Amino acid sequence: MRTSRGPAAAVALALALALAGTGAGLGLAPQAAAITPPVSFTADALPTWQPDGVVWALAEAGGQIFAGGTFSTVRPPTGGSGSEQDAVNFVALDAATGAPTACRLSFTVGSGTATVRALALSPDKKTLYAGGYFGAVNGTAVSSLAAVDVASCTVKTGFRPAFAATVRALAVTGDTVYAGGDFLTVAGQPRQRFAAVGAADGSLKPFTADADEPGRAVEVTPDGRNVVLGGDFFTVNGTNTHALAVVDATSGALAKSYPGFIETNSVVKDIATDATGFYTANEGTGGGVFDGRIALDLPGFGQRWRDTCLGATQAVLPHENVLYSASHAHDCAAMGEFPDGQRHHLLAQPTTSTGKLGWSPDTNDGIGEGIGPRVMTVGAKNGVEYLWVGGEFTTVNGAAQQSLTRFASTGDTGAPTVPVASAVSFTPGEAEVRWRTSLDLDDSALTYRIYRNGAATPIATVTADSLFFSRPQASWKDTTVSAGQSYTYRVTATDAAGNTSALSATASVTVPTRAESYPTRVRADGAQLYWRYDDAVLPYAADSSAGGNQNGVHWNAPALRQTPGAVSGASTAIGFNGTDSRIFADKRQTVGNAYTIETWFRTNTTRGGKLFGFGSNQDRGSYQYDKHLYMTNDGRVVFGAYTGVTRTIATGAAYNDNKWHHVVATQGPGGMTLYVDGVQRGTLAVTTHENYSGYWHAGGDSLGGWPDRPTSDHWAGQLDESAVYPSVLSAAQVQNHYALATAPADSVVRVTAGEDTYANAGAPGTNYGTSGSLAVRGTSFYASYLRFDLPAAPAGTVLKSAVLSVKTSTMSGAGTTDTVSVVPVTGSWSEGGTTYNNRPSLGGPAVGSFAGIPDGSAVHTASLTTATVAAELGGSYDLALSSSGTDALWLWSSEAQAAEGTPQLTLTFGAP
């Protein structure tokens, strides 16, 4: 099924591996700097001619790739030039161009369907051996195994073994060809499923390793002393050893058996070796199977590691200390990676461990058995290595391509996905930009650049790692923002080759003039997941917890930015359709003995559904699920944990009244407690729950087997402010959260200066009321005067804060190193009549100050004494900007277009 290596090839490979650290390798090409080490290949599929059937076998010699399988023609890649050509179960292609070469071989049979199932080269790569089910090659009679002279592309007529059934696997040394398959005799002699023949003439050798079921893989150890066998068998030479065995290379005598090592309903489909060990590809059928990969050490043949991902593995290929695999892996939950869901057909991991690397091009399942890729090999030409993949797929990376594809060691052209960014600010002086890390199929380490207010130069650069199944939230805090001001941010992602995504959509945020009480308290109380549902675009829910790495993924497009939200203020909610929309967390985790679930909900549903909970899967129903809140059809809220049996607390009252309600569920050493609207509604002396790895869900997941199971597992309604804590919130904390969320919302009023001007001692009689500028200096004297018409406080509120905003002009040196004071004006003045000679008198003390302002046109703010400003509400309020220094400050006046609303007072009103 893949290129097999005899001792000579193994020695060469061992040398290549030993020299890997110095840049030497199988294809003589250095690893592309654009790819995250230790991966050697890009994930960008190159144009390749494609057969019309299934490719079962690949081999490489001299920059030429040989592909065997079950097909009749090859055609150009989509959009490529050329015409379809006959290719009966075999094609030779140029490793660098992907186009057919002059080597044409036709594998046929008198009756039935001919197929080529195995290709292997002699150690000197001068002879290609082909196995399968066929009776002739280019009309020359053979019997399911043939030898081809590579230079002339002709059948070697002196090689005439006679295999009575399909040959599925080959391995070649200098003098021996080892074969595995379905046969029971060779040259009329008993040889059950495995045999060895002379490499020169095909004569049968004494090697006897009889198996009771088909052989599918053969590999010679690097020292040439042993042969590793794989297949469906349960015995070899009468000894119990299922699917895997090591035998003596000369006699076939069993050297290492593996009874009970591989599950009885699993088989070995492929074996590959390097200088350190050998690797198996395994396929299972039914439940309780083993579908993954095993690494075994040399010498000793003992297990190094076992990867138990589910999704039958068809081929393995070690290269430059990385094991590439072809499978349809759909569940790597047992390895702490992705849960049961989408199939992933091409993966990479270190030869030393099971953790997946940042290389994940993909195919579909395709035709035939719907397996996808089945075989891999590496070829090289002109200093570039190419990883070739064959199988029964019909797409690669979402584009049409059948049965063959290839990836190069250079020329990475694929850009990361576009980040989806959001921005938030909870306190004055700080804004946070958040985004789910992007996906790049061959780069796990990406660089993100953050751009503010449309600038061409990034304000910050952040590096972060991501894999297709692990895309944590990344963030950056902007501590140069000013209270009361609005900012926009956009983010790009760049890989090591410099391929850069498009800019993200704009994320906007207004910095508050004082800390927002509800989210500040949730964060301070230790939330480790906090979904506020203020996202403006699909498909990611940003995490607003202090840790910020538990973002969620929207599934089936829940409704965004629903108003009004549960918490007073600008925060919005999210809506679920009760059918299939929900959110699942991006991060796999376990839940400790103590936890708290908190969310707000509003609904009028009579079908119930899960509000929030923990489950083993992401984008499909979980098979383990508890630590959840759900609603019954009649509107009661249930909190449940699983201890081997379901344990629940249910409210007596219904809450499907289409009003916002606050629900909190806690479990810890004190048992389980359920709160609704700040009031304890029930307790249960249960301190344990089911221990498994999984994901938090909002809006729906499995509920089978739970008491009063509702009609729908999915929630029809709105959620807001969902949070999870790794501790038990106290009753006082729960009540405080409820009170903070239901307190009257703060309101913000912005007042632009109605009049403004400045006085200049150097021109004592000149009025500057229409100049568009303001100026401040101690010597020689400039002073600026501002007048604001203040509103009265809204009923039931008081002034919480007052912030003065000014904007420096574009004049060179417009900033100042001196402190500028904001002081009350006690004398009379007017914009059109004030000069230095009649300037108004000033009072005291100062109500605020700017401690120096840097050069460059920008908005700057100063907090003013709240009580002093509050006393002036409902009337005209006059302020002056003054300084005692010698460094002038130049500002835009309200008449200047560039002022953009400055000078301005931002007033925040709230409950007393």
Side-chain angles (χ1 to χ4, degrees):
M1 293 180 60
R2 38 165 299 283
T3 302
S4 296
R5 305 179 185 88
V11 171
L13 179 58
L15 178 61
L17 289 168
L19 295 176
T22 65
L26 185 62
L28 307 179
Q31 179 174 290
I35 305 165
T36 302
V39 171
S40 297
F41 302 97
T42 79
D44 304 318
L46 298 175
T48 306
W49 280 58
Q50 46 194 328
D52 62 349
V54 178
V55 170
W56 294 96
L58 292 170
E60 182 271 345
Q64 191 171 205
I65 300 296
F66 305 108
T70 312
F71 50 86
S72 59
T73 65
V74 290
R75 63 188 186 278
T78 302
S81 60
S83 301
E84 185 175 79
Q85 302 178 9
D86 289 339
V88 182
N89 302 315
F90 178 88
V91 64
L93 303 116
D94 186 282
T97 67
T101 69
C103 179
R104 306 289 177 88
L105 298 173
S106 177
F107 288 75
T108 57
V109 70
S111 62
T113 301
T115 183
V116 175
R117 292 299 180 108
L119 294 171
L121 284 148
S122 60
D124 61 8
K125 293 198 172 185
K126 292 182 178 181
T127 303
L128 173 68
Y129 296 90
Y133 178 70
F134 46 84
V137 180
N138 284 1
T140 299
V142 294
S143 183
S144 294
L145 180 61
V148 176
D149 178 72
V150 172
S152 63
C153 190
T154 57
V155 177
K156 290 189 172 184
T157 57
F159 181 83
R160 297 294 297 272
F163 283 79
T166 303
V167 173
R168 297 181 180 274
L170 294 172
V172 185
T173 67
D175 60 2
T176 304
V177 178
Y178 296 93
D182 301 348
F183 51 86
L184 299 177
T185 63
V186 178
Q189 300 298 310
R191 291 292 190 275
Q192 297 180 18
R193 280 86 184 201
F194 293 100
V197 298
D201 59 6
S203 59
L204 185 64
K205 293 204 168 191
F207 176 92
T208 302
D210 289 341
D212 61 335
E213 295 290 344
R216 297 185 181 273
V218 183
E219 189 72 36
V220 181
T221 58
D223 61 10
R225 297 174 59 184
N226 296 104
V227 179
V228 186
L229 311 179
D232 302 1
F233 52 81
F234 291 87
T235 65
V236 172
N237 291 338
T239 299
N240 291 333
T241 180
H242 174 53
L244 184 67
V246 180
V247 298
D248 181 82
T250 301
S251 67
L254 196 64
K256 173 75 173 180
S257 63
Y258 293 89
F261 185 68
I262 293 174
E263 281 74 356
T264 57
N265 51 352
S266 296
V267 301
V268 170
K269 298 296 289 289
D270 188 27
I271 300 171
T273 189
D274 62 15
T276 66
F278 63 93
Y279 310 86
T280 70
N282 304 273
E283 176 184 81
T285 304
V289 302
F290 174 53
D291 269 346
R293 294 156 289 284
I294 303 174
L296 297 103
D297 286 321
L298 293 173
F301 311 114
Q303 180 174 295
R304 180 190 308 165
W305 51 254
R306 180 180 290 229
D307 185 327
T308 57
C309 290
L310 294 175
T313 306
Q314 302 299 313
V316 286
L317 177 65
H319 179 72
E320 299 288 353
N321 302 319
V322 172
L323 184 69
Y324 298 88
S325 59
S327 70
H328 57 264
H330 59 85
D331 186 354
C332 286
M335 307 308 299
E337 296 172 334
F338 53 91
D340 193 16
Q342 178 182 344
R343 291 183 167 191
H344 303 277
H345 297 85
L346 294 170
L347 298 173
Q349 61 199 92
T351 54
T352 55
S353 63
T354 60
K356 305 305 179 293
L357 297 170
W359 185 81
S360 53
D362 203 13
T363 73
N364 65 353
D365 290 341
I367 60 176
E369 296 178 38
I371 292 294
R374 288 185 174 274
V375 62
M376 299 182 292
T377 196
V378 173
K381 189 171 184 180
N382 300 327
V384 177
E385 291 178 332
Y386 299 90
L387 173 63
W388 282 71
V389 179
E392 56 197 54
F393 48 85
T394 57
T395 67
V396 179
N397 291 341
Q401 176 69 25
Q402 184 170 353
S403 300
L404 276 175
T405 190
R406 61 199 175 98
F407 307 94
S409 60
T410 61
D412 182 11
T413 60
T417 57
V418 180
V420 178
S422 63
V424 67
S425 180
F426 300 117
T427 59
E430 182 178 287
E432 184 175 69
V433 187
R434 300 95 50 94
W435 62 95
R436 189 195 194 205
T437 45
S438 294
L439 174 62
D440 190 290
L441 297 181
D442 47 35
D443 282 285
S444 56
L446 300 176
T447 299
Y448 299 89
R449 292 177 174 84
I450 301 98
Y451 298 83
R452 187 173 78 175
N453 292 343
T457 302
I459 191 174
T461 299
V462 173
T463 58
D465 291 342
S466 58
L467 299 167
F468 71 88
F469 60 87
S470 177
R471 296 173 61 184
Q473 180 171 291
S475 64
W476 173 75
K477 289 183 179 178
D478 188 352
T479 57
T480 65
V481 296
S482 299
Q485 298 301 310
S486 296
Y487 298 86
T488 61
Y489 299 91
R490 302 181 78 180
V491 183
T492 63
T494 303
D495 67 14
N499 300 307
T500 300
S501 73
L503 284 162
S504 70
T506 299
S508 302
V509 65
T510 299
V511 181
T513 56
R514 69 186 186 96
E516 294 187 22
S517 56
Y518 186 86
T520 298
R521 176 45 52 193
V522 170
R523 286 158 57 94
D525 283 345
Q528 65 176 190
L529 176 154
Y530 185 19
W531 296 341
R532 302 204 71 200
Y533 308 120
D534 294 335
D535 310 280
V537 294
L538 298 168
Y540 310 123
D543 179 14
S544 293
S545 70
N549 64 356
Q550 294 266 23
N551 56 287
V553 179
H554 299 128
W555 191 250
N556 290 323
L560 304 182
R561 301 191 66 77
Q562 303 292 288
T563 58
V567 175
S568 299
S571 182
T572 60
I574 193 165
F576 298 96
N577 60 17
T579 303
D580 57 8
S581 64
R582 55 192 168 111
I583 296 175
F584 55 80
D586 225 5
K587 184 176 182 180
R588 181 182 175 89
Q589 61 183 283
T590 56
V591 179
N593 293 330
Y595 65 90
T596 296
I597 302 169
E598 176 179 40
T599 193
W600 288 77
F601 67 91
R602 183 173 69 174
T603 187
N604 60 2
T605 185
T606 57
R607 290 168 46 82
K610 184 177 290 191
L611 285 73
F612 202 92
F614 195 71
S616 57
N617 275 348
Q618 287 182 304
D619 59 358
R620 59 179 61 187
S622 296
Y623 54 87
Q624 291 174 287
Y625 40 94
D626 75 332
K627 298 175 280 294
H628 53 202
L629 290 162
Y630 63 93
M631 179 173 278
T632 62
N633 286 347
D634 59 4
R636 293 176 295 119
V637 177
V638 181
F639 168 38
Y642 187 73
T643 63
V645 294
T646 59
R647 306 302 300 271
T648 59
I649 305 170
T651 64
Y655 293 94
N656 55 347
D657 54 6
N658 213 29
K659 297 178 181 179
W660 279 113
H661 296 283
H662 179 233
V663 59
V664 176
T666 70
Q667 187 179 27
M672 298 168 60
T673 305
L674 176 64
Y675 303 86
V676 179
D677 294 339
V679 178
Q680 186 184 109
R681 306 294 179 177
T683 62
L684 194 62
V686 174
T687 60
T688 60
H689 55 79
E690 190 170 11
N691 184 24
Y692 57 94
S693 295
Y695 307 84
W696 290 107
H697 293 252
D701 195 12
S702 303
L703 279 171
W706 284 83
D708 295 318
R709 181 184 180 182
T711 301
S712 174
D713 289 352
H714 287 81
W715 167 254
Q718 296 176 342
L719 295 180
D720 201 4
E721 305 291 332
S722 299
V724 178
Y725 306 78
S727 61
V728 172
L729 291 187
S730 68
Q733 288 175 305
V734 173
Q735 291 159 6
N736 185 33
H737 289 198
Y738 179 68
L740 289 173
T742 55
D746 289 351
S747 60
V748 176
V749 178
R750 294 181 174 85
V751 182
T752 302
E755 295 185 72
D756 53 13
T757 188
Y758 74 98
N760 177 5
T766 302
N767 171 261
Y768 294 95
T770 59
S771 70
S773 295
L774 300 172
V776 182
R777 186 171 61 194
T779 306
S780 73
F781 179 89
Y782 296 133
S784 294
Y785 307 97
L786 315 172
R787 175 167 292 146
F788 298 94
D789 293 322
L790 302 184
T797 68
V798 297
L799 183 68
K800 293 295 189 70
S801 66
V803 176
L804 174 64
S805 303
V806 296
K807 186 174 185 179
T808 45
S809 74
T810 53
M811 180 187 303
S812 178
T816 181
T817 59
D818 300 328
T819 296
V820 175
S821 298
V822 183
V823 296
V825 176
T826 56
S828 62
W829 64 282
S830 68
E831 181 180 82
T834 297
T835 67
Y836 176 79
N837 289 332
N838 65 1
R839 67 189 184 279
S841 57
L842 306 180
V847 295
S849 64
F850 297 88
I853 293 178
D855 290 343
S857 183
V859 174
H860 300 275
T861 60
S863 296
L864 306 186
T865 304
T866 304
T868 302
V869 179
E872 304 293 333
L873 293 175
S876 179
Y877 186 39
D878 295 350
L879 295 171
L881 302 178
S882 66
S883 171
S884 59
T886 58
D887 187 12
L889 170 68
W890 289 93
L891 307 171
W892 293 120
S893 74
S894 59
E895 283 85 0
Q897 183 176 359
E900 299 172 355
T902 59
Q904 184 181 84
L905 274 180
T906 300
L907 308 175
T908 301
F909 299 94

